Amino acid sequence: VGTLREGVREHVRTAVRFLREVHGSLRPAEVTRAAVTELLDLMAQRPTKLRGEERALTLPELAERYQDRPDVPRMSGRTQEVR
């Protein structure tokens, strides 16, 4: 087993951070299909570009802030895929 490239590690860290922002600290056995579905639904609402001050907001806060803004480009399904 080789080591993961830095880009892959960054993707994993971001996904884990989003999961914690949405569901708190779950044990691996507690990560259900429903929890992942909720996470992906919120990720789909996240804008592709964030202003400086928005980078400190959690994923749920960003989804709420942009829920009534259909004019804002969102993360695509391709962006959400695990690499």
Side-chain angles (χ1 to χ4, degrees), residues 29-46:
E30 296 174 315
V31 179
T32 63
R33 182 174 290 189
V36 172
T37 298
E38 183 180 358
L39 172 64
L40 292 175
D41 288 346
L42 286 172
M43 286 178 65
Q45 297 174 44
R46 185 181 188 273

Side-chain angles (χ1 to χ4, degrees), residues 9-69:
R9 283 192 295 241
E10 185 62 31
H11 284 291
V12 171
R13 281 192 291 266
T14 300
V16 170
R17 178 173 55 88
F18 286 162
L19 183 65
R20 285 184 178 150
E21 289 173 356
V22 175
H23 294 291
S25 295
L26 298 176
R27 294 183 319 216
E30 296 174 315
V31 179
T32 63
R33 182 174 290 189
V36 172
T37 298
E38 183 180 358
L39 172 64
L40 292 175
D41 288 346
L42 286 172
M43 286 178 65
Q45 297 174 44
R46 185 181 188 273
T48 55
K49 305 271 189 206
L50 298 176
R51 295 189 306 254
E53 69 276 2
E54 291 176 328
R55 294 171 202 250
L57 298 176
T58 65
L59 183 59
E61 290 169 338
L62 285 168
E64 183 178 340
R65 177 177 281 200
Y66 285 96
Q67 69 184 356
D68 296 324
R69 296 280 314 275

